[in-house]
Amino acid sequence: LRLGLGLVSVEARRGSHVEPLFAADEGGIVDFDEVALVLTAERNAGGAVGLVADYEVEVGQAGLLRGGNGGDGLVGREDDGERDYEQLIELVHPEDRERFWAARTGEISGLTAAAIEYRIIRSDGMTRTVRRESAVVFDEDKRPIRLYGTLQDVTERRHGERRERELERQLLHSQKLEALGTLAGGIAHDLNNTLVPIMALSKITARGFDPDTRIRGNLDTIYRASEHARDLVQRVLTFSRKDEPEKHENDLGSIVHESLELLRATVPSSIQFQLQVEPTPPIPVDAAQLRQVVTNLITNAAQAIGRDMGTITVSLMPTVGVSGAPEICLSIADTGAGMDEPTLGRIFEPFFTTKAVGQGTGLGLSIVHGIVTSHGGRIEVSSAPGQGTRLDLYFAVPVSAGVTSSRPAA
């Protein structure tokens, strides 16, 4: 097909490099057979891309989607050959149709055709993201007579880009935690040095006064306040220190049961526990640190529920990671208030808390994150306002580990 279009050229962009593919001759003539060949070659040279389909539409008439160039796989049909282009339009996601029609109307009105992306719901029920690039052919009177274009499935590409952005966010978050941990550790050491003489002198001085005197009471208050400050300093140091945990073969099920036995008395009776502990193989962990993890998470869950009736579900089970390697998943879920997205993105930041002043230090989950990371594990969190919170902690299982029987749920 050769049409007089005026002077036209087509270029290909590869990263920041742009190179011409073909141009109209001196008479403004473009060979569209050549266009199709060049575009096909460009797609084949583009590497791992999704399915691509070509289409051509007579303006004001039904058009054809050429299935031989990927149309069947794109729309989820197995039949071969050409089909009505309008069938593809019917697959456009309802939320994207207005934008789709606005772009098409602009093209045939003489506006510069721009690539757009939108979702389609294929005939097999799958939702895919496609990128459409098109060009309009006008006659000598500037009236649109034909629409050419390509449709490319970019679903996997967009998923990959989102995953890349998420990994970048996690890296920045990890670097932020490391920097804050170093700062907090330095401050904590200075505070600890300051507390030593306060605690020692207040205790020694208090011995010189009778227990019923006002001065003795004031000195005892100073000492107790110093103890609370010392405990806070220790929590900061636990968060900030980079020492390797003392790992030994331990049964996580036993650690969970031991932690819950100590915590039951501190959790309100309005909160019920549900235990789902399956046999898991022993893995090398620092038992004291893992008890602290369970304690912090149970305490947070109980505080999220508050005085209301609620349930804390603790589960432990073997599973398989994304790489196919065996893992152990420790999950703690509550029926509390839940969190919105902005809060969810900050829960592992040190000193970040949603509790009232004096009711939380903001270090509980930071310490949990540091301990789990030092054990080579990972944490996944899901939460929504009014729907509670669930934290899944994953620990790798050594290949040589066997299965042991955890204590029965109490």
Side-chain angles (χ1 to χ4, degrees):
L1 174 66
R2 297 173 64 85
L3 295 173
L5 302 177
L7 190 60
V8 176
S9 67
V10 178
E11 298 173 331
R13 180 178 297 274
R14 296 185 177 91
S16 60
H17 177 63
V18 178
E19 62 183 60
L21 295 180
F22 55 84
D25 58 23
E26 295 181 357
I29 303 299
V30 174
D31 189 334
F32 275 91
D33 290 333
E34 179 188 353
V35 173
L37 290 173
V38 173
L39 289 180
T40 300
E42 282 298 305
R43 287 201 306 272
N44 292 338
V49 298
L51 290 169
V52 179
D54 302 334
Y55 64 86
E56 59 179 274
V57 181
E58 297 286 348
V59 176
Q61 302 179 27
L64 295 175
L65 175 68
R66 288 197 279 264
N69 286 327
D72 298 317
L74 187 66
V75 300
R77 296 275 295 274
E78 297 299 331
D79 52 306
D80 297 324
E82 299 178 332
R83 70 172 53 85
D84 191 341
Y85 176 74
E86 304 303 321
Q87 292 178 358
L88 181 64
I89 296 178
E90 294 174 359
L91 300 179
V92 176
H93 195 286
E95 296 178 2
D96 297 344
R97 286 180 183 172
E98 182 177 352
R99 184 162 53 88
F100 172 88
W101 282 112
R104 185 174 179 184
T105 301
E107 289 172 348
I108 63 177
S109 298
L111 300 178
T112 301
I116 65 168
E117 292 186 11
Y118 53 89
R119 293 165 295 170
I120 63 172
I121 303 176
R122 304 190 338 166
S123 57
D124 57 7
M126 293 182 62
T127 299
R128 310 292 290 179
T129 301
V130 298
R131 176 183 176 87
R132 193 198 72 177
E133 298 187 32
S134 59
V136 183
V137 179
F138 297 90
D139 63 14
E140 295 179 353
D141 296 325
K142 305 298 183 182
R143 292 178 301 186
I145 59 174
R146 182 164 297 190
L147 179 66
Y148 286 91
T150 61
L151 295 167
Q152 180 180 344
D153 187 337
V154 295
T155 307
E156 277 70 27
R157 179 186 297 177
R158 298 297 172 254
H159 284 172
E161 291 172 352
R162 286 193 292 270
R163 176 60 178 165
E164 183 177 352
R165 289 194 296 269
E166 175 62 18
L167 291 175
E168 290 177 353
R169 188 196 67 80
Q170 292 178 5
L171 175 60
L172 291 175
H173 183 69
S174 178
Q175 292 173 337
K176 182 179 180 181
L177 287 179
E178 184 176 359
L180 287 172
T182 302
L183 174 63
I187 295 174
H189 279 293
D190 290 341
L191 286 175
N192 197 47
N193 294 335
T194 303
L195 287 171
V196 170
I198 295 175
M199 295 182 67
L201 292 176
S202 61
K203 190 170 185 177
I204 293 173
T205 305
R207 295 172 182 170
F209 297 89
D210 293 332
D212 297 333
T213 62
R214 183 176 180 180
I215 295 179
R216 175 64 179 268
N218 290 341
L219 290 171
D220 288 342
T221 300
I222 292 173
Y223 185 78
R224 288 195 299 270
S226 299
E227 284 187 316
H228 290 305
R230 180 195 60 191
D231 292 340
L232 175 58
V233 167
Q234 290 303 316
R235 296 179 70 183
V236 173
L237 290 174
T238 299
F239 161 75
S240 63
R241 66 169 167 251
K242 303 299 186 293
D243 297 336
E244 285 294 321
E246 297 181 4
K247 299 179 182 179
H248 303 284
E249 293 288 331
N250 282 283
D251 174 23
L252 291 188
S254 297
I255 293 176
V256 169
H257 285 294
E258 292 169 4
S259 301
L260 291 180
E261 287 176 1
L262 296 174
L263 288 168
R264 284 186 186 277
T266 65
V267 175
S269 58
S270 58
I271 298 177
Q272 301 296 318
F273 280 97
Q274 289 186 355
L275 303 184
Q276 302 168 358
V277 180
E278 299 181 10
T280 57
I283 59 174
V285 297
D286 187 317
Q289 290 191 0
L290 264 293
R291 290 189 192 97
Q292 184 173 12
V293 166
V294 176
T295 299
N296 288 0
L297 294 182
I298 293 293
T299 301
N300 275 9
Q303 291 175 345
I305 296 173
R307 298 180 180 179
D308 299 331
M309 299 290 291
T311 303
I312 298 176
T313 302
V314 181
S315 63
L316 183 73
M317 63 187 67
T319 184
V320 177
V322 293
S323 63
E327 294 181 333
I328 295 177
C329 177
L330 170 62
S331 298
I332 297 179
D334 64 68
T335 57
M339 296 176 285
D340 56 21
E341 283 293 333
T343 303
L344 197 60
R346 300 187 60 190
I347 59 173
F348 295 121
E349 292 183 10
F351 307 110
F352 173 77
T353 179
T354 58
K355 301 181 180 72
V357 176
Q359 296 184 8
T361 62
L363 286 173
L365 288 178
S366 296
I367 292 173
V368 169
H369 183 275
I371 292 175
V372 174
T373 302
S374 68
H375 282 74
R378 70 182 193 279
I379 305 177
E380 295 181 0
V381 187
S382 58
S383 182
Q387 299 182 18
T389 301
R390 177 188 178 97
L391 288 94
D392 296 320
L393 283 59
Y394 294 90
F395 300 92
V397 177
V399 178
S400 60
V403 177
T404 185
S405 296
S406 299
R407 292 166 52 186

